[in-house]
């Protein structure tokens, strides 16, 4: 199994190296043919080296090298954005070397060629990888919580996993130990701690790949500090959110970025405002109470995307649905592009929000979620954010418990570099429809609907309650 996994990794690394080498060589060609200053030989190494390093780092930050896990479309978006940013930075490097503005056309042509190559190669390499290494056959062992929502999520990744058996932990430890040996991986979903620990140790002993859906306490402990006070390992979890220096640096970044963004985006925001006003003559913005750090309420600003009479019905608070009739034609466009969020830059500048953090919830929604998930207020240890971990890796209709886990992951493993990475990844979700997809029409919140599993074993199917 070890050799098998190493071969998969080697294929993945090789595919990524092909892309990186093509990007470096194409830039090198453009530099020598159009921009090189022959009297300064060291400039060749500096410019090409800086471009190569930046290209590698930006692609890695956008998850462009995770070709074993991510979908082809996500990989293509990562490489397109990487080439775009690298072309800008590369041109700046060249202008600095020349101490003057130089023609940008060769860089533009190079970027277009790089994008075309990257997209074709990503799709081809992904097809080759899936053909050589088919989806991993896995078993799911689950506990006392509803499993069906998680099954539906795994169904969307049939390129990666083939669920061959579903087993409840109450079948017994001996049955579990016998069955897991027949599969290439084991998913553990919401098991009681004692039973889960025994299964994890058994899988570790037999070198069985284990995928664990974490509990809230797992995430809190995951990023704890190691202490060696005595000759016993100790984990320290401080549990107070961000450090003072992190908060200061974060606030400085919020002020600078939001101010610059408001200036640059002001023509676009003005155009959106005019279009909204011309459509129905209603208000351009709408204000709504939201929650931020420590439960403090503030008024959030957004471009109005719904009918003018649908903005402040707090007593009937509900999330937007997939075919929500309240959303105007203009609203559909700006919601899909996330342009309705742009006025929140004002909230960031004022200090109500941060650029990165948990999404601010309405007080009415928060109370509903907190009744089902008492720990939901854990996400209030930091300021709410315009974008964040749950916004990048989740969806608009992601369940509250999963949003909480992702927000806690952000809080517990916070770093300034993580903020930068999430801001870059936010550019990707603007091109993903599912990131703004609403909840089902019959639901009021993102809390999961009850399902029941029709059958267990080698095959399974999911049906809603009451469905024949």
């Amino acid at each position: 199994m070890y050799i098998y996994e190493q071969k998969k990794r080697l294929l993945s690394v090789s595919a990524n190296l092909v892309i990186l080498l093509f990007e470096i060589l194409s830039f090198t060609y453009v530099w020598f043919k159009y921009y090189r200053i022959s009297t300064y030989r060291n400039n060749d190494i500096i410019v090409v080296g800086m471009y190569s390093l930046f290209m590698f780092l930006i692609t890695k930050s956008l998850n462009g090298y995770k070709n074993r896990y991510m979908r082809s479309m996500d990989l293509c978006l990562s490489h397109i954005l990487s080439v775009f940013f690298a072309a800008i930075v590369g041109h700046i490097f060249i202008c600095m070397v020349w101490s003057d503005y130089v023609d940008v056309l060769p860089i533009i042509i190079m970027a277009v060629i790089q994008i075309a190559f990257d997209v074709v190669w990503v799709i081809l390499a992904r097809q080759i990888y899936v053909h050589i290494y088919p989806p991993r056959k896995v078993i799911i062992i689950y506990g006392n919580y509803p499993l069906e929502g998680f099954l539906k999520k795994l169904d969307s990744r049939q390129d990666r996993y083939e669920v061959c058996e579903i087993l409840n932990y109450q079948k017994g430890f001996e049955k579990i130990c016998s069955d897991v040996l027949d599969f290439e991986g084991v998913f553990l979903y919401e098991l009681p701690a004692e039973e889960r620990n025994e299964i994890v140790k058994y899988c570790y002993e037999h070198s069985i790949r284990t995928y664990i859906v974490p509990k809230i306490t797992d995430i809190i402990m995951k990023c704890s500090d190691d202490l060696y006070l005595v000759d016993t390992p100790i984990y320290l979890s401080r549990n107070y959110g961000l450090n003072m220096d992190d908060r200061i640096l974060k606030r400085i970044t919020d002020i600078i970025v939001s101010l610059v963004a408001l200036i640059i985006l002001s023509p676009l925001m003005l155009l959106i405002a005019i279009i909204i006003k011309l459509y129905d003559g209603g208000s351009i913005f709408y204000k709504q109470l939201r929650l931020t750090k420590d439960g403090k309420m503030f008024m959030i600003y957004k471009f109005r995307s719904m009918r003018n009479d649908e903005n402040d019905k707090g007593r009937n608070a509900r999330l937007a649905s997939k075919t929500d009739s309240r959303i105007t034609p203009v609203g559909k466009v700006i919601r899909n592009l996330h342009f309705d969020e742009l006025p929140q830059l004002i909230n960031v500048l004022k200090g109500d929000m941060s650029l990165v953090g948990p999404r601010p919830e309405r007080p009415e929604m928060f109370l509903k979620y907190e009744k089902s998930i008492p720990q939901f207020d854990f996400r209030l240890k930091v300021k709410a954010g315009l974008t964040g971990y749950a916004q990048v890796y989740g969806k608009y209709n992601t369940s509250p418990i999963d949003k909480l886990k992702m927000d806690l992951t952000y809080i517990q493993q916070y770093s300034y570099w993580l903020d930068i990475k999430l801001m870059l990844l936010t550019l990707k979700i603007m091109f993903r429809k599912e990131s703004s997809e609403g909840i089902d029409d019959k639901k009021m919140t993102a809390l999961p609907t009850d399902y029941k599993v029709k059958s267990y074993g080698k095959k399974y199917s999911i049906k809603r309650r009451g469905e024949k």
Side-chain angles (χ1 to χ4, degrees):
M1 181 61 69
Y2 176 78
I3 300 299
Y4 179 79
E5 291 298 327
Q6 292 305 304
K7 288 181 178 178
K8 291 176 68 174
R9 181 173 178 79
L10 179 61
L11 179 61
S12 173
V13 171
S14 299
N16 289 329
L17 279 176
V18 169
I19 289 181
L20 182 60
L21 286 174
F22 179 83
E23 291 165 344
I24 294 173
L25 291 174
S26 57
F27 179 81
T28 304
Y29 172 80
V30 169
W31 164 253
F32 275 87
K33 185 172 178 62
Y34 297 102
Y35 301 116
R36 183 173 185 259
I37 304 175
S38 57
T39 55
Y40 296 99
R41 200 174 187 84
N42 289 337
N43 288 336
D44 300 342
I45 299 175
I46 294 173
V47 175
V48 174
M50 291 294 288
Y51 175 86
S52 304
L53 179 61
F54 182 82
M55 175 61 82
F56 172 78
L57 292 176
I58 192 69
T59 306
K60 185 177 177 62
S61 298
L62 292 170
N63 297 330
Y65 295 133
K66 293 187 176 181
N67 52 9
R68 296 171 62 188
Y69 306 101
M70 297 182 64
R71 295 182 177 92
S72 297
M73 180 57 68
D74 280 333
L75 289 170
C76 289
L77 283 174
S78 295
H79 286 285
I80 290 171
L81 289 172
S82 299
V83 169
F84 174 76
F85 285 121
I88 294 175
V89 172
H91 187 251
I92 293 173
F93 286 161
I94 294 170
C95 291
M96 290 173 64
V97 171
W98 277 86
S99 298
D100 194 7
Y101 180 82
V102 296
D103 185 14
V104 73
L105 184 59
I107 293 290
I108 294 176
I109 296 173
M110 177 201 72
V112 171
I113 294 173
Q114 286 179 343
I115 288 173
F117 177 86
D118 289 0
V119 169
V120 172
W121 179 252
V122 163
I123 295 173
L124 179 62
R126 185 72 180 145
Q127 292 297 321
I128 293 173
Y129 183 88
V130 173
H131 178 73
I132 297 176
Y133 300 106
R136 193 183 300 274
K137 298 182 185 299
V138 299
I139 177 175
I140 299 178
I141 303 171
Y142 68 101
N144 299 319
Y145 291 87
L147 170 69
E148 291 72 16
F150 181 66
L151 286 177
K152 294 183 73 175
K153 293 177 183 180
L154 279 186
D155 275 345
S156 69
R157 293 309 309 266
Q158 294 182 8
D159 59 319
R160 290 281 300 153
Y161 307 107
E162 180 185 349
V163 179
C164 299
E165 186 175 347
I166 304 170
L167 190 64
N168 189 275
Y169 80 101
Q170 294 178 347
K171 294 292 184 179
F173 187 67
E174 290 186 6
K175 169 67 173 174
I176 292 172
C177 293
S178 172
D179 285 13
V180 298
L181 295 174
D182 297 331
F183 299 99
E184 300 172 281
V186 180
F187 276 89
L188 304 181
Y189 181 78
E190 295 294 347
L191 297 175
E194 184 176 350
E195 286 78 2
R196 186 188 69 171
N197 293 344
E198 291 301 316
I199 297 170
V200 169
K201 287 185 283 188
Y202 180 83
C203 292
Y204 186 86
E205 179 184 357
H206 292 82
S207 301
I208 301 170
R209 181 180 289 250
T210 308
Y211 304 85
I212 304 169
V213 176
K215 299 178 182 293
I216 291 174
T217 49
D218 295 329
I219 297 173
I220 293 174
M221 289 189 296
K222 177 184 176 183
C223 299
S224 301
D225 295 330
D226 296 326
L227 287 186
Y228 300 98
L229 300 175
V230 293
D231 56 349
T232 296
I234 298 175
Y235 288 156
L236 170 62
S237 182
R238 292 184 171 84
N239 302 329
Y240 52 63
L242 307 187
N243 295 323
M244 177 63 73
D245 51 341
D246 290 329
R247 294 201 299 270
I248 292 173
L249 183 58
K250 191 175 175 67
R251 180 60 186 144
I252 292 172
T253 304
D254 288 343
I255 293 172
I256 295 173
V257 174
S258 61
L259 186 59
V260 172
L262 282 169
I263 294 172
I264 295 174
L265 295 172
S266 56
L268 174 62
M269 294 175 69
L270 178 61
L271 177 62
I272 294 172
I274 292 172
I275 294 173
I276 293 173
K277 192 67 177 180
L278 290 177
Y279 174 72
D280 59 8
S283 58
I284 295 171
F285 303 101
Y286 87 88
K287 297 182 292 183
Q288 192 178 73
L289 279 176
R290 296 291 178 99
L291 296 178
T292 187
K293 187 177 184 297
D294 299 326
K296 180 182 177 181
M297 288 192 287
F298 72 99
M299 200 68 72
I300 199 172
Y301 306 117
K302 297 180 72 174
F303 280 123
R304 180 173 62 86
S305 61
M306 294 187 177
R307 296 195 305 266
N308 202 51
D309 59 341
E310 295 289 344
N311 288 316
D312 295 305
K313 296 185 177 180
R315 63 186 183 278
N316 296 317
R318 60 161 296 168
L319 297 180
S321 64
K322 295 178 181 178
T323 57
D324 204 316
S325 61
R326 301 173 299 167
I327 302 175
T328 66
V330 175
K332 288 181 181 179
V333 175
I334 62 175
R335 287 173 73 95
N336 287 336
L337 295 173
H338 300 275
F339 286 169
D340 61 320
E341 314 280 357
L342 292 179
Q344 290 170 48
L345 290 167
I346 300 173
N347 291 116
V348 174
L349 188 61
K350 288 174 58 181
D352 300 326
M353 298 170 58
S354 179
L355 289 169
V356 183
R359 190 76 189 120
E361 293 287 352
R362 297 178 66 174
E364 301 89 352
M365 289 292 182
F366 188 90
L367 291 175
K368 292 179 182 179
Y369 293 154
E370 198 173 29
K371 287 180 181 178
S372 299
I373 311 166
Q375 301 83 13
F376 199 68
D377 64 347
F378 287 3
R379 63 202 298 275
L380 298 180
K381 284 184 175 291
V382 297
K383 278 186 182 180
L386 181 58
T387 187
Y389 208 94
Q391 294 91 300
V392 168
Y393 293 105
K395 305 175 184 178
Y396 178 81
N397 55 10
T398 294
S399 67
I401 184 64
D402 287 330
K403 284 184 178 180
L404 171 60
K405 289 178 179 180
M406 286 187 277
D407 288 332
L408 273 179
T409 300
Y410 168 76
I411 295 170
Q412 290 301 107
Q413 66 180 31
Y414 176 79
S415 69
Y416 187 72
W417 173 244
L418 179 60
D419 269 2
I420 301 298
K421 180 178 180 178
L422 291 174
M423 283 189 277
L424 290 172
L425 286 171
T426 300
L427 297 173
K428 285 178 60 177
I429 68 173
M430 295 178 65
F431 302 95
R432 290 194 340 224
K433 181 181 178 181
E434 62 267 24
S435 66
S436 58
E437 186 178 50
I439 60 174
D440 291 335
D441 294 338
K442 296 181 180 180
K443 296 175 65 177
M444 296 287 288
T445 72
L447 287 169
T449 305
D450 287 333
Y451 289 83
K452 61 180 179 179
V453 178
K454 182 178 179 182
S455 62
Y456 297 101
K458 296 299 179 182
K459 294 184 178 180
Y460 64 89
S461 61
I462 302 172
K463 54 192 293 187
R464 290 179 183 274
R465 178 173 292 170
E467 181 179 330
K468 296 183 179 179

